[in-house]
Amino acid sequence: MGEHEVKRIEAPLLAKTVNALRAGMRVAISGTLLTARDAAHKRLVETVERGETLPVDLKRQVLYYTGPSPAPLGLVIGSAGPTTSGRMDPFTPKLLALGVRGMIGKGQRSPEVVEAIKNYRAVYFVAIGGAGALLSQHIVASQVLAYPELGPEAIRRLEVEDFPAIVVIDCRGGNLYERGLQEWKGRASAPGPG
């Protein structure tokens, strides 16, 4: 794949799809995403710890870290940009163990999450922050599945078409943030023109 090519993938994610993704790839996701932010993550983990049944099936799912704004008249959803992923880090390894195979957010992940991504053969995508209105144009349906009392942080099923994202951490631990940092350090320490 060339640097600017976009790989089209389907969600929920098949193992072969996850295995084919590499840090740095641009993707267009079609299919189903589940929204979940920190309040929903906390409730999901607490539900499992109590030995109760989850309100949603997490197997093969992609969790999108967003709390969409209300839908304007005639649209299925309002602005739906990514939130900072680090807030989900305390809960992420447990949800990956339950079958989550992808996450979409923004920002770096903790070393524990990176290890869990490798251990559970998952993938972390980043969507462009500040572009929620544009991203919402790729959402064709939205339905609240669980925790409606959380308002915008309820768990929703989103049907998406060609939702744009970048693979930042792949299932082998390839990490675009780390690679970019190393490249920058290499250029910063290189002698300048003479």
Side-chain angles (χ1 to χ4, degrees):
M1 259 184 88
E3 182 181 332
H4 298 291
E5 288 182 59
V6 175
K7 182 175 181 67
R8 288 186 156 66
I9 62 173
E10 294 288 323
L13 296 173
L14 297 173
K16 67 179 183 178
T17 302
V18 173
N19 288 333
L21 298 173
R22 298 288 182 276
M25 284 180 154
R26 295 175 6 158
V27 297
I29 306 168
S30 294
T32 304
L33 308 176
L34 297 181
T35 68
R37 287 180 44 149
D38 37 324
H41 274 63
K42 184 175 189 290
R43 286 201 186 177
L44 289 169
V45 168
E46 288 172 348
T47 298
V48 169
E49 288 173 348
R50 289 192 304 267
E52 298 171 3
T53 303
L54 290 174
V56 294
D57 182 4
L58 296 177
K59 287 183 178 54
R60 299 180 33 232
Q61 296 297 335
V62 176
L63 299 183
Y64 181 26
Y65 304 152
T66 188
S69 62
L73 192 61
L75 299 177
V76 298
I77 201 164
S79 181
T83 194
T84 303
S85 302
R87 292 203 311 268
M88 274 50 77
D89 283 1
F91 313 106
T92 297
K94 287 185 180 178
L95 296 185
L96 290 171
L98 293 170
V100 169
R101 287 299 165 259
M103 301 148 289
I104 304 171
K106 66 179 182 182
Q108 296 203 40
R109 306 307 300 263
S110 70
E112 294 79 15
V113 170
V114 174
E115 276 306 305
I117 288 169
K118 290 191 301 189
N119 291 341
Y120 295 107
R121 307 296 291 172
V123 63
Y124 173 53
F125 303 98
V126 167
I128 304 303
L134 291 173
L135 292 170
S136 68
Q137 294 174 15
H138 294 274
I139 300 169
V140 296
S142 171
Q143 175 191 6
V144 174
L145 297 182
Y147 313 138
E149 66 279 7
L150 293 179
E153 293 198 35
I155 295 178
R156 296 173 176 268
R157 175 190 295 122
L158 301 181
E159 296 299 325
V160 297
E161 290 179 359
D162 292 331
F163 188 92
I166 299 167
V167 178
V168 171
I169 303 172
D170 63 39
C171 66
R172 290 162 186 79
N175 188 324
L176 188 60
Y177 287 138
E178 292 297 322
R179 192 167 75 204
L181 183 60
Q182 293 307 316
E183 289 173 8
W184 181 84
K185 282 182 178 176
R187 279 191 239 129
S189 63

